[in-house]
Amino acid sequence: MPKRYVILTESIKDPAGMDAYGRAAGPSMAEGGASVLAVDGQPDVLEGEWHGDRTAVLEFESVEAARAWYASEAYGRAKALRQAAADTNAVIVAGFEPPTRGA
């Protein structure tokens, strides 16, 4: 089963609020089994328009693990801080597994 990735793009309105979010979200990510793969304030846009000032990519073992983290009480407290400090888009995407030969 491919891993799952949560991608958040954040248009930050309150940098201090986002700092508070980061401090609150970190422990919930560890508890939820997330690995932070990337956080970038200046993504190199190759095509189209990109939303936000910051993009974060989190890796989870499964879609169930990603959804459980996002719905958890611990992340809920952090999420409220983020929602007050930034306009965010968030998605879950599947990792790619190439087809096996002969299948």
Side-chain angles (χ1 to χ4, degrees):
M1 174 186 313
K3 295 193 179 208
R4 298 298 174 145
Y5 301 89
V6 173
I7 302 171
L8 301 108
T9 59
E10 304 161 335
S11 180
I12 299 169
K13 303 178 287 187
D14 175 7
M18 287 302 288
D19 289 344
Y21 162 72
R23 289 188 300 276
S28 77
M29 290 177 193
E31 289 172 22
S35 295
V36 179
L37 299 183
V39 177
D40 194 344
Q42 297 293 325
D44 188 4
V45 179
L46 300 175
E47 289 187 39
E49 299 291 324
W50 194 254
H51 168 265
D53 308 304
R54 181 166 56 199
T55 300
V57 180
L58 311 176
E59 180 182 69
F60 291 86
E61 288 298 318
S62 66
V63 69
E64 293 82 11
R67 288 185 183 279
W69 164 75
Y70 190 79
S72 71
E73 185 177 323
Y75 185 63
R77 290 186 297 271
K79 183 174 22 177
L81 295 170
R82 178 183 47 74
Q83 289 171 334
D87 295 323
T88 303
N89 293 329
V91 297
I92 298 174
V93 298
F96 177 75
E97 286 189 357
T100 57
R101 294 197 115 168

